[in-house]
C-alpha cells in the first residue's frame, strides 16, 4: 500500500495516524520537560535568594487560604479532565463534552479567584518592593500564564468535541491537552508548597518599620 493510499485510508477511518500520534506525544513531553525546567530554575532561584536573607519573606508570611482554594479547584479540574479523556477512549462523546465543559468552568473559576488573590497580595506586597516580591510575582504570574494557555487549549478541544471531531480512534488532541492541564495543576501544588506553606515554618518575619 502506498503512503498516499494509507493516508487516505486513515482519513476515511477517522483514526489518528500512528506517526502523528507518536510525534505529537513526543513533542508534548519535550514541551512539558522544557517548561518543568523553567519552573525548577525559578524555584531554585527563589530558594537561593531566601537562603541568603535573614528572614524570608522579609515582612509577613503570605496568606495561603485562597492558594489552597485554588489548589482544590485545579485538582477538581484535573479529575474532570481525566474523566472526559477516559470517556472518549470508550467512544463516549457526551462524557467528553460534559467533562471538558466542567473543566473549562473550573479553569475560569481559577482565573477569577487568582485575580482576587493578586489584589489581596498587592495591598501589602508589590513586585518592586524586594527580591522576594519580585520572585513571588514572577513565579505566580508565570504559572498564571500557563493556566490561561491551558484554558484556551481546553476551549479549543471543547469546540472540536461539540463539532464531533473526536472518537475512540481519534482523540490525540484531547489526550495532549488534558496531559498539559495535569502538568499545570501539579506545578501549582509546588507553588503552594514552596511559596505559601513553607514560609509559615521559617520563623518570625522582620518587624514592620
Amino acid at each position: 500500500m502506498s503512503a498516499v493510499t494509507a493516508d487516505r485510508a486513515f482519513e476515511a477511518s477517522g483514526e489518528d495516524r500512528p506517526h502523528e500520534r507518536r510525534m505529537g506525544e513526543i513533542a508534548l513531553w519535550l514541551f512539558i520537560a522544557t517548561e518543568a525546567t523553567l519552573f525548577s530554575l525559578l524555584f531554585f532561584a527563589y530558594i537561593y535568594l531566601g537562603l541568603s536573607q535573614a528572614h524570608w519573606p522579609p515582612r509577613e508570611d503570605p496568606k495561603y487560604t485562597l492558594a489552597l482554594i485554588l489548589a482544590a479547584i485545579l485538582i477538581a479540574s484535573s479529575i474532570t479532565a481525566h474523566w472526559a479523556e477516559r470517556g472518549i477512549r470508550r467512544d463516549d462523546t457526551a462524557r467528553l463534552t460534559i467533562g471538558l465543559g466542567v473543566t473549562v468552568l473550573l479553569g475560569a473559576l481559577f482565573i477569577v479567584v487568582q485575580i482576587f488573590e493578586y489584589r489581596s497580595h498587592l495591598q501589602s506586597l508589590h513586585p518592586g518592593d524586594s527580591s522576594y516580591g519580585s520572585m513571588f510575582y514572577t513565579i505566580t504570574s508565570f504559572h498564571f500564564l500557563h493556566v490561561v494557555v491551558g484554558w484556551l487549549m481546553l476551549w479549543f478541544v471543547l469546540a472540536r468535541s461539540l463539532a464531533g471531531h473526536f472518537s475512540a480512534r481519534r482523540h490525540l488532541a484531547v489526550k495532549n491537552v488534558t496531559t498539559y492541564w495535569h502538568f499545570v495543576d501539579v506545578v501549582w501544588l509546588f507553588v503552594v508548597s514552596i511559596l505559601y506553606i513553607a514560609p509559615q515554618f521559617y520563623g518570625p518575619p522582620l518587624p514592620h518599620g
Side-chain angles (χ1 to χ4, degrees):
M1 182 183 291
S2 67
V4 174
T5 304
D7 282 345
R8 288 177 178 173
F10 276 111
E11 191 67 34
S13 67
E15 185 175 355
D16 288 325
R17 296 177 177 84
H19 69 280
E20 288 182 351
R21 186 186 308 117
R22 185 166 54 253
M23 293 304 296
E25 291 174 351
I26 292 173
L28 172 70
W29 284 109
L30 287 175
F31 176 70
I32 287 177
T34 302
E35 297 300 290
T37 301
L38 290 174
F39 275 109
S40 297
L41 291 173
L42 287 173
F43 289 140
F44 278 122
Y46 172 89
I47 294 171
Y48 175 80
L49 289 172
L51 292 174
S52 66
Q53 304 292 323
H55 295 281
W56 188 264
R59 296 177 183 168
E60 61 182 16
D61 295 336
K63 299 176 182 178
Y64 56 85
T65 302
L66 285 179
L68 293 177
I69 293 174
L70 289 168
I73 292 171
L74 283 185
I75 291 172
S77 71
S78 262
I79 292 173
T80 57
H82 178 69
W83 183 76
E85 197 255 334
R86 287 292 297 272
I88 196 58
R89 288 185 187 180
R90 301 174 182 177
D91 216 21
D92 190 341
T93 56
R95 175 169 159 175
L96 172 67
T97 301
I98 294 171
L100 288 176
V102 175
T103 306
V104 165
L105 291 176
L106 289 170
L109 180 60
F110 179 93
I111 291 171
V112 171
V113 176
Q114 177 82 85
I115 292 172
F116 278 103
E117 198 232 7
Y118 271 137
R119 291 181 60 184
S120 174
H121 283 300
L122 285 170
Q123 293 177 8
S124 58
L125 177 69
H126 291 84
D129 287 347
S130 61
S131 57
Y132 170 78
S134 175
M135 288 304 303
F136 179 88
Y137 286 106
T138 296
I139 293 173
T140 55
S141 61
F142 190 51
H143 178 266
F144 182 77
L145 175 63
H146 281 71
V147 170
V148 172
V149 170
W151 186 65
L152 293 174
M153 291 165 64
L154 286 168
W155 267 113
F156 176 70
V157 292
L158 176 58
R160 290 187 62 187
S161 175
L162 291 170
H165 289 179
F166 300 119
S167 67
R169 295 182 298 175
R170 171 169 287 182
H171 58 272
L172 177 61
V174 175
K175 181 180 179 181
N176 285 350
V177 170
T178 55
T179 298
Y180 177 78
W181 189 251
H182 296 324
F183 164 72
V184 171
D185 298 352
V186 170
V187 171
W188 182 249
L189 297 181
F190 280 96
V191 172
V192 172
S193 300
I194 296 172
L195 271 66
Y196 291 86
I197 302 301
Q200 312 300 322
F201 304 97
Y202 287 164
L206 287 173
H208 292 283

